[in-house]
Amino acid sequence: MKKEPKNLMSGLLKEMNRCKELKAEYDMIPTGFFGSAIIQISIKNAEKAIEENDVVKMLVAYEDLKKCTG
């Protein structure tokens, strides 16, 4: 059973951490630079949304981060 986050911020931080781990895996692949770059953009967008305290951007960033797959 998958545990869902209790609020937007906890979910966003959880997805950011997951994507950072995934990016590290892409960084180890010689041809993984494109995937790594796309993930980094998603992480940066999430960080910016948090800095700006913009809930709408946080929601968009959360959904975008959930799409990061390995």
Side-chain angles (χ1 to χ4, degrees):
M1 180 179 206
K2 190 174 180 181
K3 186 176 179 183
E4 292 295 321
K6 295 186 187 256
N7 61 51
L8 176 59
M9 186 60 73
S10 67
L12 188 55
L13 293 173
K14 180 179 176 182
E15 286 300 317
M16 285 173 63
N17 288 331
R18 184 186 66 81
C19 289
K20 286 177 182 178
E21 291 174 7
L22 183 60
K23 182 187 177 305
E25 291 180 27
Y26 272 94
D27 289 341
M28 291 188 286
I29 302 169
T31 58
F33 59 90
F34 182 74
S36 176
I38 296 298
I39 293 169
Q40 184 62 39
I41 290 169
S42 297
I43 292 169
K44 288 291 182 189
N45 288 339
E47 290 172 342
K48 185 176 179 185
I50 291 170
E51 287 173 16
E52 295 175 357
N53 201 28
D54 188 325
V55 176
V56 174
K57 286 183 182 177
M58 286 184 207
L59 287 167
V60 171
Y62 176 67
E63 290 300 321
D64 188 45
L65 289 169
K66 288 192 323 184
K67 295 176 187 174
C68 293
T69 60

Short mmCIF file of all heavy atoms in Angstrom, two decimals:
data_model
loop_
_atom_site.label_atom_id
_atom_site.label_comp_id
_atom_site.label_asym_id
_atom_site.label_seq_id
_atom_site.Cartn_x
_atom_site.Cartn_y
_atom_site.Cartn_z
N MET A 1 0.83 -1.18 0.00
CA MET A 1 0.00 0.00 0.00
C MET A 1 0.88 1.25 0.00
O MET A 1 1.76 1.39 0.85
CB MET A 1 -0.90 -0.03 1.23
CG MET A 1 -1.82 1.14 1.33
SD MET A 1 -2.83 0.96 2.82
CE MET A 1 -4.22 1.87 2.35
N LYS A 2 0.67 2.13 -0.95
CA LYS A 2 1.46 3.34 -1.07
C LYS A 2 0.93 4.41 -0.13
O LYS A 2 -0.26 4.72 -0.14
CB LYS A 2 1.40 3.83 -2.52
CG LYS A 2 2.36 4.93 -2.82
CD LYS A 2 2.34 5.25 -4.30
CE LYS A 2 3.31 6.35 -4.60
NZ LYS A 2 3.31 6.70 -6.01
N LYS A 3 1.83 4.96 0.69
CA LYS A 3 1.42 5.99 1.64
C LYS A 3 1.44 7.35 0.95
O LYS A 3 2.45 7.78 0.41
CB LYS A 3 2.38 5.99 2.83
CG LYS A 3 1.96 6.91 3.93
CD LYS A 3 2.88 6.78 5.12
CE LYS A 3 2.45 7.73 6.21
NZ LYS A 3 3.37 7.69 7.34
N GLU A 4 0.32 8.03 0.97
CA GLU A 4 0.21 9.34 0.35
C GLU A 4 0.65 10.42 1.34
O GLU A 4 0.44 10.29 2.54
CB GLU A 4 -1.25 9.60 -0.07
CG GLU A 4 -1.73 8.73 -1.19
CD GLU A 4 -1.01 8.97 -2.49
OE1 GLU A 4 -0.70 10.13 -2.82
OE2 GLU A 4 -0.72 7.97 -3.18
N PRO A 5 1.27 11.50 0.83
CA PRO A 5 1.68 12.59 1.72
C PRO A 5 0.47 13.26 2.37
O PRO A 5 -0.62 13.27 1.81
CB PRO A 5 2.41 13.55 0.80
CG PRO A 5 2.08 13.14 -0.59
CD PRO A 5 1.59 11.74 -0.55
N LYS A 6 0.70 13.82 3.56
CA LYS A 6 -0.40 14.45 4.29
C LYS A 6 -0.66 15.88 3.85
O LYS A 6 -1.72 16.41 4.09
CB LYS A 6 -0.10 14.41 5.79
CG LYS A 6 -0.06 13.00 6.31
CD LYS A 6 0.07 12.98 7.81
CE LYS A 6 0.29 11.57 8.27
NZ LYS A 6 -0.79 10.92 8.85
N ASN A 7 0.33 16.53 3.23
CA ASN A 7 0.12 17.88 2.74
C ASN A 7 1.03 18.14 1.53
O ASN A 7 1.91 17.34 1.22
CB ASN A 7 0.35 18.93 3.83
CG ASN A 7 1.75 18.92 4.38
OD1 ASN A 7 2.72 18.96 3.65
ND2 ASN A 7 1.87 18.87 5.71
N LEU A 8 0.80 19.24 0.87
CA LEU A 8 1.52 19.55 -0.36
C LEU A 8 3.03 19.65 -0.13
O LEU A 8 3.82 19.09 -0.88
CB LEU A 8 0.99 20.85 -0.98
CG LEU A 8 1.72 21.35 -2.22
CD1 LEU A 8 1.68 20.33 -3.34
CD2 LEU A 8 1.11 22.68 -2.67
N MET A 9 3.44 20.35 0.92
CA MET A 9 4.86 20.56 1.15
C MET A 9 5.58 19.24 1.41
O MET A 9 6.65 19.00 0.85
CB MET A 9 5.08 21.52 2.32
CG MET A 9 6.54 21.89 2.52
SD MET A 9 7.29 22.69 1.08
CE MET A 9 6.52 24.28 1.18
N SER A 10 5.00 18.38 2.22
CA SER A 10 5.67 17.10 2.50
C SER A 10 5.73 16.25 1.23
O SER A 10 6.74 15.59 0.97
CB SER A 10 4.99 16.34 3.64
OG SER A 10 3.70 15.91 3.28
N GLY A 11 4.68 16.27 0.43
CA GLY A 11 4.68 15.53 -0.83
C GLY A 11 5.71 16.08 -1.80
O GLY A 11 6.43 15.32 -2.46
N LEU A 12 5.80 17.38 -1.88
CA LEU A 12 6.75 18.02 -2.78
C LEU A 12 8.18 17.70 -2.37
O LEU A 12 9.01 17.34 -3.20
CB LEU A 12 6.51 19.53 -2.80
CG LEU A 12 7.27 20.37 -3.82
CD1 LEU A 12 7.03 19.86 -5.23
CD2 LEU A 12 6.87 21.82 -3.71
N LEU A 13 8.47 17.80 -1.08
CA LEU A 13 9.82 17.49 -0.60
C LEU A 13 10.17 16.02 -0.81
O LEU A 13 11.30 15.69 -1.19
CB LEU A 13 9.96 17.87 0.88
CG LEU A 13 9.88 19.37 1.17
CD1 LEU A 13 9.85 19.61 2.67
CD2 LEU A 13 11.01 20.13 0.51
N LYS A 14 9.20 15.14 -0.61
CA LYS A 14 9.42 13.71 -0.83
C LYS A 14 9.76 13.44 -2.30
O LYS A 14 10.69 12.69 -2.61
CB LYS A 14 8.18 12.92 -0.40
CG LYS A 14 8.30 11.43 -0.57
CD LYS A 14 7.04 10.73 -0.12
CE LYS A 14 7.13 9.24 -0.39
NZ LYS A 14 5.91 8.54 0.01
N GLU A 15 9.00 14.05 -3.20
CA GLU A 15 9.25 13.85 -4.63
C GLU A 15 10.57 14.48 -5.05
O GLU A 15 11.28 13.93 -5.89
CB GLU A 15 8.10 14.42 -5.46
CG GLU A 15 6.85 13.59 -5.42
CD GLU A 15 7.06 12.18 -5.95
OE1 GLU A 15 7.74 12.00 -6.99
OE2 GLU A 15 6.56 11.24 -5.32
N MET A 16 10.92 15.62 -4.48
CA MET A 16 12.21 16.24 -4.79
C MET A 16 13.35 15.31 -4.39
O MET A 16 14.31 15.13 -5.16
CB MET A 16 12.35 17.59 -4.08
CG MET A 16 11.52 18.69 -4.70
SD MET A 16 11.54 20.23 -3.75
CE MET A 16 13.26 20.68 -3.84
N ASN A 17 13.27 14.73 -3.21
CA ASN A 17 14.31 13.81 -2.75
C ASN A 17 14.40 12.57 -3.63
O ASN A 17 15.49 12.12 -3.98
CB ASN A 17 14.09 13.41 -1.29
CG ASN A 17 14.37 14.55 -0.34
OD1 ASN A 17 15.19 15.41 -0.62
ND2 ASN A 17 13.69 14.56 0.79
N ARG A 18 13.24 12.05 -4.02
CA ARG A 18 13.23 10.88 -4.90
C ARG A 18 13.88 11.20 -6.23
O ARG A 18 14.70 10.43 -6.75
CB ARG A 18 11.78 10.40 -5.12
CG ARG A 18 11.67 9.13 -5.95
CD ARG A 18 10.22 8.79 -6.25
NE ARG A 18 9.58 9.77 -7.12
CZ ARG A 18 9.73 9.79 -8.45
NH1 ARG A 18 10.48 8.89 -9.05
NH2 ARG A 18 9.10 10.69 -9.18
N CYS A 19 13.56 12.36 -6.78
CA CYS A 19 14.11 12.76 -8.07
C CYS A 19 15.60 13.07 -7.98
O CYS A 19 16.34 12.82 -8.93
CB CYS A 19 13.33 13.95 -8.63
SG CYS A 19 11.67 13.51 -9.17
N LYS A 20 16.06 13.59 -6.84
CA LYS A 20 17.49 13.83 -6.66
C LYS A 20 18.25 12.50 -6.68
O LYS A 20 19.34 12.41 -7.26
CB LYS A 20 17.75 14.58 -5.36
CG LYS A 20 17.37 16.05 -5.44
CD LYS A 20 17.57 16.76 -4.12
CE LYS A 20 17.12 18.21 -4.22
NZ LYS A 20 17.26 18.93 -2.94
N GLU A 21 17.68 11.48 -6.06
CA GLU A 21 18.30 10.15 -6.09
C GLU A 21 18.31 9.60 -7.51
O GLU A 21 19.30 9.02 -7.95
CB GLU A 21 17.57 9.20 -5.15
CG GLU A 21 17.74 9.52 -3.69
CD GLU A 21 16.89 8.65 -2.78
OE1 GLU A 21 16.25 7.68 -3.27
OE2 GLU A 21 16.86 8.92 -1.57
N LEU A 22 17.22 9.79 -8.21
CA LEU A 22 17.13 9.32 -9.59
C LEU A 22 18.12 10.06 -10.49
O LEU A 22 18.78 9.46 -11.33
CB LEU A 22 15.70 9.51 -10.12
CG LEU A 22 15.41 9.01 -11.52
CD1 LEU A 22 15.66 7.51 -11.63
CD2 LEU A 22 13.96 9.33 -11.89
N LYS A 23 18.26 11.37 -10.27
CA LYS A 23 19.22 12.17 -11.04
C LYS A 23 20.64 11.64 -10.83
O LYS A 23 21.42 11.56 -11.77
CB LYS A 23 19.13 13.64 -10.66
CG LYS A 23 20.08 14.51 -11.46
CD LYS A 23 20.08 15.92 -10.95
CE LYS A 23 21.07 16.79 -11.70
NZ LYS A 23 22.44 16.32 -11.72
N ALA A 24 20.97 11.28 -9.60
CA ALA A 24 22.29 10.74 -9.30
C ALA A 24 22.55 9.46 -10.09
O ALA A 24 23.67 9.22 -10.56
CB ALA A 24 22.43 10.49 -7.80
N GLU A 25 21.51 8.65 -10.25
CA GLU A 25 21.64 7.43 -11.06
C GLU A 25 21.88 7.78 -12.52
O GLU A 25 22.71 7.17 -13.19
CB GLU A 25 20.41 6.55 -10.90
CG GLU A 25 20.28 5.93 -9.53
CD GLU A 25 19.05 5.06 -9.40
OE1 GLU A 25 18.59 4.51 -10.42
OE2 GLU A 25 18.56 4.92 -8.27
N TYR A 26 21.14 8.77 -13.04
CA TYR A 26 21.33 9.19 -14.42
C TYR A 26 22.74 9.76 -14.62
O TYR A 26 23.35 9.59 -15.67
CB TYR A 26 20.30 10.24 -14.83
CG TYR A 26 19.03 9.66 -15.39
CD1 TYR A 26 17.92 9.43 -14.58
CD2 TYR A 26 18.92 9.35 -16.74
CE1 TYR A 26 16.75 8.89 -15.09
CE2 TYR A 26 17.75 8.82 -17.28
CZ TYR A 26 16.68 8.59 -16.44
OH TYR A 26 15.53 8.06 -16.96
N ASP A 27 23.26 10.47 -13.60
CA ASP A 27 24.60 11.04 -13.69
C ASP A 27 25.67 9.97 -13.84
O ASP A 27 26.74 10.24 -14.38
CB ASP A 27 24.89 11.91 -12.47
CG ASP A 27 24.10 13.21 -12.47
OD1 ASP A 27 23.61 13.63 -13.54
OD2 ASP A 27 23.96 13.81 -11.38
N MET A 28 25.43 8.77 -13.35
CA MET A 28 26.40 7.69 -13.44
C MET A 28 26.39 7.00 -14.81
O MET A 28 27.32 6.27 -15.15
CB MET A 28 26.14 6.65 -12.35
CG MET A 28 26.46 7.16 -10.96
SD MET A 28 26.37 5.89 -9.70
CE MET A 28 24.61 5.67 -9.53
N ILE A 29 25.36 7.24 -15.60
CA ILE A 29 25.25 6.64 -16.94
C ILE A 29 25.93 7.57 -17.94
O ILE A 29 25.62 8.76 -17.99
CB ILE A 29 23.76 6.45 -17.32
CG1 ILE A 29 23.04 5.58 -16.30
CG2 ILE A 29 23.65 5.88 -18.73
CD1 ILE A 29 21.54 5.56 -16.47
N PRO A 30 26.87 7.06 -18.73
CA PRO A 30 27.58 7.92 -19.69
C PRO A 30 26.65 8.69 -20.63
O PRO A 30 26.95 9.82 -21.00
CB PRO A 30 28.45 6.94 -20.47
CG PRO A 30 28.67 5.80 -19.55
CD PRO A 30 27.40 5.68 -18.75
N THR A 31 25.53 8.11 -20.99
CA THR A 31 24.60 8.79 -21.91
C THR A 31 23.36 9.31 -21.18
O THR A 31 22.35 9.61 -21.82
CB THR A 31 24.17 7.83 -23.03
OG1 THR A 31 23.57 6.67 -22.44
CG2 THR A 31 25.34 7.42 -23.89
N GLY A 32 23.45 9.46 -19.88
CA GLY A 32 22.28 9.88 -19.09
C GLY A 32 22.16 11.37 -18.89
O GLY A 32 21.33 11.83 -18.11
N PHE A 33 22.97 12.15 -19.61
CA PHE A 33 22.98 13.60 -19.40
C PHE A 33 21.65 14.26 -19.71
O PHE A 33 21.24 15.19 -19.03
CB PHE A 33 24.11 14.26 -20.18
CG PHE A 33 24.03 14.06 -21.67
CD1 PHE A 33 23.35 14.94 -22.47
CD2 PHE A 33 24.66 12.97 -22.25
CE1 PHE A 33 23.28 14.75 -23.84
CE2 PHE A 33 24.61 12.78 -23.63
CZ PHE A 33 23.91 13.66 -24.43
N PHE A 34 20.94 13.78 -20.72
CA PHE A 34 19.66 14.41 -21.08
C PHE A 34 18.62 14.18 -19.99
O PHE A 34 17.95 15.11 -19.54
CB PHE A 34 19.15 13.90 -22.43
CG PHE A 34 17.87 14.55 -22.86
CD1 PHE A 34 17.88 15.85 -23.33
CD2 PHE A 34 16.66 13.89 -22.78
CE1 PHE A 34 16.70 16.48 -23.71
CE2 PHE A 34 15.47 14.50 -23.17
CZ PHE A 34 15.50 15.79 -23.64
N GLY A 35 18.50 12.93 -19.54
CA GLY A 35 17.56 12.62 -18.46
C GLY A 35 17.90 13.37 -17.20
O GLY A 35 17.02 13.90 -16.51
N SER A 36 19.19 13.46 -16.89
CA SER A 36 19.65 14.18 -15.71
C SER A 36 19.28 15.67 -15.80
O SER A 36 18.82 16.26 -14.82
CB SER A 36 21.17 14.03 -15.56
OG SER A 36 21.64 14.79 -14.49
N ALA A 37 19.46 16.25 -16.97
CA ALA A 37 19.14 17.67 -17.17
C ALA A 37 17.65 17.94 -17.00
O ALA A 37 17.25 18.94 -16.38
CB ALA A 37 19.61 18.13 -18.54
N ILE A 38 16.82 17.06 -17.54
CA ILE A 38 15.36 17.23 -17.43
C ILE A 38 14.93 17.15 -15.97
O ILE A 38 14.12 17.95 -15.49
CB ILE A 38 14.62 16.18 -18.28
CG1 ILE A 38 14.94 16.37 -19.76
CG2 ILE A 38 13.12 16.22 -18.03
CD1 ILE A 38 14.52 17.71 -20.34
N ILE A 39 15.48 16.19 -15.25
CA ILE A 39 15.15 16.03 -13.83
C ILE A 39 15.61 17.26 -13.04
O ILE A 39 14.89 17.76 -12.18
CB ILE A 39 15.76 14.73 -13.26
CG1 ILE A 39 15.09 13.52 -13.91
CG2 ILE A 39 15.62 14.68 -11.74
CD1 ILE A 39 15.78 12.19 -13.61
N GLN A 40 16.81 17.77 -13.37
CA GLN A 40 17.33 18.95 -12.68
C GLN A 40 16.41 20.15 -12.88
O GLN A 40 16.18 20.93 -11.95
CB GLN A 40 18.75 19.28 -13.14
CG GLN A 40 19.39 20.43 -12.41
CD GLN A 40 19.56 20.18 -10.93
OE1 GLN A 40 19.88 19.07 -10.51
NE2 GLN A 40 19.33 21.19 -10.12
N ILE A 41 15.88 20.31 -14.08
CA ILE A 41 14.95 21.41 -14.34
C ILE A 41 13.71 21.27 -13.47
O ILE A 41 13.23 22.25 -12.88
CB ILE A 41 14.57 21.45 -15.84
CG1 ILE A 41 15.78 21.90 -16.66
CG2 ILE A 41 13.38 22.37 -16.08
CD1 ILE A 41 15.61 21.72 -18.16
N SER A 42 13.18 20.06 -13.35
CA SER A 42 12.00 19.83 -12.52
C SER A 42 12.28 20.15 -11.05
O SER A 42 11.45 20.75 -10.37
CB SER A 42 11.53 18.37 -12.65
OG SER A 42 11.13 18.11 -13.96
N ILE A 43 13.46 19.76 -10.59
CA ILE A 43 13.84 20.03 -9.20
C ILE A 43 13.97 21.54 -8.97
O ILE A 43 13.48 22.08 -7.97
CB ILE A 43 15.15 19.30 -8.84
CG1 ILE A 43 14.92 17.79 -8.82
CG2 ILE A 43 15.70 19.78 -7.49
CD1 ILE A 43 16.20 16.96 -8.75
N LYS A 44 14.62 22.23 -9.90
CA LYS A 44 14.80 23.68 -9.78
C LYS A 44 13.45 24.40 -9.79
O LYS A 44 13.25 25.37 -9.04
CB LYS A 44 15.68 24.23 -10.92
CG LYS A 44 17.12 23.87 -10.78
CD LYS A 44 17.75 24.59 -9.61
CE LYS A 44 19.22 24.27 -9.51
NZ LYS A 44 19.81 24.78 -8.29
N ASN A 45 12.52 23.95 -10.62
CA ASN A 45 11.18 24.56 -10.65
C ASN A 45 10.48 24.38 -9.31
O ASN A 45 9.80 25.30 -8.83
CB ASN A 45 10.34 23.98 -11.77
CG ASN A 45 10.79 24.44 -13.13
OD1 ASN A 45 11.45 25.46 -13.28
ND2 ASN A 45 10.44 23.69 -14.16
N ALA A 46 10.65 23.22 -8.70
CA ALA A 46 10.04 22.96 -7.39
C ALA A 46 10.67 23.85 -6.32
O ALA A 46 9.97 24.44 -5.50
CB ALA A 46 10.19 21.49 -7.02
N GLU A 47 11.99 23.99 -6.36
CA GLU A 47 12.68 24.84 -5.39
C GLU A 47 12.24 26.29 -5.53
O GLU A 47 12.01 26.98 -4.53
CB GLU A 47 14.20 24.73 -5.57
CG GLU A 47 14.75 23.39 -5.16
CD GLU A 47 16.21 23.19 -5.52
OE1 GLU A 47 16.74 23.93 -6.39
OE2 GLU A 47 16.82 22.28 -4.94
N LYS A 48 12.08 26.74 -6.76
CA LYS A 48 11.65 28.12 -7.00
C LYS A 48 10.22 28.34 -6.49
O LYS A 48 9.92 29.37 -5.89
CB LYS A 48 11.73 28.45 -8.49
CG LYS A 48 11.41 29.88 -8.81
CD LYS A 48 11.59 30.19 -10.27
CE LYS A 48 11.23 31.64 -10.54
NZ LYS A 48 11.27 31.97 -11.95
N ALA A 49 9.36 27.37 -6.72
CA ALA A 49 7.98 27.48 -6.24
C ALA A 49 7.93 27.59 -4.72
O ALA A 49 7.15 28.37 -4.17
CB ALA A 49 7.17 26.27 -6.72
N ILE A 50 8.79 26.82 -4.05
CA ILE A 50 8.85 26.87 -2.59
C ILE A 50 9.37 28.23 -2.13
O ILE A 50 8.81 28.85 -1.22
CB ILE A 50 9.72 25.73 -2.04
CG1 ILE A 50 9.02 24.38 -2.27
CG2 ILE A 50 10.01 25.94 -0.55
CD1 ILE A 50 9.89 23.18 -1.98
N GLU A 51 10.44 28.70 -2.77
CA GLU A 51 11.01 30.00 -2.42
C GLU A 51 10.00 31.12 -2.57
O GLU A 51 9.94 32.04 -1.75
CB GLU A 51 12.22 30.30 -3.30
CG GLU A 51 13.44 29.49 -2.97
CD GLU A 51 14.57 29.72 -3.97
OE1 GLU A 51 14.53 30.70 -4.74
OE2 GLU A 51 15.49 28.89 -3.99
N GLU A 52 9.19 31.05 -3.62
CA GLU A 52 8.19 32.08 -3.89
C GLU A 52 6.91 31.86 -3.09
O GLU A 52 6.01 32.71 -3.13
CB GLU A 52 7.87 32.12 -5.38
CG GLU A 52 9.04 32.55 -6.24
CD GLU A 52 8.77 32.47 -7.72
OE1 GLU A 52 7.66 32.02 -8.12
OE2 GLU A 52 9.66 32.85 -8.49
N ASN A 53 6.83 30.72 -2.40
CA ASN A 53 5.64 30.37 -1.64
C ASN A 53 4.38 30.42 -2.53
O ASN A 53 3.32 30.87 -2.10
CB ASN A 53 5.48 31.27 -0.42
CG ASN A 53 4.60 30.66 0.64
OD1 ASN A 53 4.49 29.44 0.74
ND2 ASN A 53 3.95 31.48 1.43
N ASP A 54 4.53 29.93 -3.76
CA ASP A 54 3.46 29.94 -4.75
C ASP A 54 2.82 28.54 -4.80
O ASP A 54 3.39 27.60 -5.35
CB ASP A 54 4.03 30.32 -6.12
CG ASP A 54 2.96 30.53 -7.18
OD1 ASP A 54 1.94 29.82 -7.15
OD2 ASP A 54 3.17 31.39 -8.04
N VAL A 55 1.64 28.44 -4.23
CA VAL A 55 0.96 27.15 -4.11
C VAL A 55 0.62 26.55 -5.46
O VAL A 55 0.77 25.34 -5.67
CB VAL A 55 -0.31 27.28 -3.23
CG1 VAL A 55 -1.06 25.96 -3.17
CG2 VAL A 55 0.06 27.74 -1.83
N VAL A 56 0.20 27.37 -6.40
CA VAL A 56 -0.14 26.87 -7.73
C VAL A 56 1.10 26.28 -8.40
O VAL A 56 1.06 25.18 -8.95
CB VAL A 56 -0.77 27.97 -8.61
CG1 VAL A 56 -1.00 27.48 -10.03
CG2 VAL A 56 -2.09 28.44 -7.99
N LYS A 57 2.22 26.99 -8.33
CA LYS A 57 3.46 26.48 -8.92
C LYS A 57 3.93 25.22 -8.18
O LYS A 57 4.50 24.32 -8.79
CB LYS A 57 4.56 27.54 -8.88
CG LYS A 57 4.37 28.64 -9.89
CD LYS A 57 5.51 29.63 -9.86
CE LYS A 57 5.28 30.76 -10.84
NZ LYS A 57 6.38 31.77 -10.76
N MET A 58 3.68 25.16 -6.88
CA MET A 58 4.04 23.96 -6.12
C MET A 58 3.25 22.76 -6.61
O MET A 58 3.79 21.66 -6.75
CB MET A 58 3.79 24.17 -4.62
CG MET A 58 4.78 25.04 -3.93
SD MET A 58 4.39 25.08 -2.17
CE MET A 58 5.05 26.66 -1.73
N LEU A 59 1.97 22.96 -6.85
CA LEU A 59 1.13 21.87 -7.35
C LEU A 59 1.62 21.39 -8.72
O LEU A 59 1.70 20.18 -8.97
CB LEU A 59 -0.34 22.31 -7.45
CG LEU A 59 -1.08 22.44 -6.13
CD1 LEU A 59 -2.39 23.18 -6.33
CD2 LEU A 59 -1.33 21.07 -5.54
N VAL A 60 1.95 22.33 -9.59
CA VAL A 60 2.45 21.99 -10.92
C VAL A 60 3.79 21.25 -10.79
O VAL A 60 4.01 20.22 -11.45
CB VAL A 60 2.61 23.26 -11.80
CG1 VAL A 60 3.33 22.95 -13.09
CG2 VAL A 60 1.24 23.87 -12.08
N ALA A 61 4.67 21.76 -9.93
CA ALA A 61 5.97 21.13 -9.73
C ALA A 61 5.82 19.73 -9.15
O ALA A 61 6.53 18.80 -9.56
CB ALA A 61 6.83 21.99 -8.81
N TYR A 62 4.90 19.55 -8.22
CA TYR A 62 4.65 18.24 -7.61
C TYR A 62 4.23 17.23 -8.67
O TYR A 62 4.77 16.12 -8.74
CB TYR A 62 3.58 18.37 -6.52
CG TYR A 62 3.18 17.07 -5.88
CD1 TYR A 62 4.08 16.35 -5.10
CD2 TYR A 62 1.91 16.56 -6.06
CE1 TYR A 62 3.70 15.15 -4.52
CE2 TYR A 62 1.53 15.37 -5.48
CZ TYR A 62 2.43 14.66 -4.70
OH TYR A 62 2.08 13.47 -4.12
N GLU A 63 3.30 17.61 -9.52
CA GLU A 63 2.84 16.72 -10.58
C GLU A 63 3.97 16.42 -11.58
O GLU A 63 4.10 15.28 -12.05
CB GLU A 63 1.63 17.31 -11.31
CG GLU A 63 0.37 17.34 -10.48
CD GLU A 63 -0.07 15.97 -10.00
OE1 GLU A 63 0.02 15.00 -10.78
OE2 GLU A 63 -0.51 15.85 -8.85
N ASP A 64 4.78 17.42 -11.86
CA ASP A 64 5.91 17.23 -12.78
C ASP A 64 6.93 16.27 -12.19
O ASP A 64 7.42 15.38 -12.88
CB ASP A 64 6.55 18.59 -13.08
CG ASP A 64 7.60 18.50 -14.17
OD1 ASP A 64 7.34 17.84 -15.19
OD2 ASP A 64 8.68 19.08 -13.98
N LEU A 65 7.26 16.43 -10.91
CA LEU A 65 8.22 15.55 -10.26
C LEU A 65 7.73 14.10 -10.20
O LEU A 65 8.53 13.17 -10.31
CB LEU A 65 8.54 16.05 -8.85
CG LEU A 65 9.36 17.33 -8.75
CD1 LEU A 65 9.37 17.84 -7.32
CD2 LEU A 65 10.77 17.11 -9.24
N LYS A 66 6.44 13.92 -10.06
CA LYS A 66 5.89 12.56 -10.00
C LYS A 66 6.10 11.82 -11.32
O LYS A 66 6.12 10.60 -11.36
CB LYS A 66 4.39 12.57 -9.65
CG LYS A 66 4.15 12.94 -8.21
CD LYS A 66 2.74 12.69 -7.71
CE LYS A 66 1.63 12.94 -8.64
NZ LYS A 66 0.30 12.76 -8.03
N LYS A 67 6.31 12.56 -12.41
CA LYS A 67 6.50 11.95 -13.72
C LYS A 67 7.94 11.48 -13.95
O LYS A 67 8.19 10.76 -14.90
CB LYS A 67 6.13 12.95 -14.83
CG LYS A 67 4.66 13.31 -14.83
CD LYS A 67 4.38 14.37 -15.87
CE LYS A 67 2.95 14.85 -15.77
NZ LYS A 67 2.71 15.99 -16.67
N CYS A 68 8.87 11.90 -13.09
CA CYS A 68 10.27 11.48 -13.23
C CYS A 68 10.37 9.99 -12.94
O CYS A 68 10.01 9.53 -11.87
CB CYS A 68 11.17 12.24 -12.25
SG CYS A 68 11.29 13.99 -12.59
N THR A 69 10.86 9.25 -13.93
CA THR A 69 10.98 7.81 -13.77
C THR A 69 12.35 7.35 -14.23
O THR A 69 13.03 8.03 -14.99
CB THR A 69 9.91 7.05 -14.57
OG1 THR A 69 10.06 7.38 -15.94
CG2 THR A 69 8.52 7.40 -14.10
N GLY A 70 12.72 6.17 -13.77
CA GLY A 70 14.02 5.61 -14.14
C GLY A 70 13.89 4.52 -15.15
O GLY A 70 12.91 4.14 -15.64
#
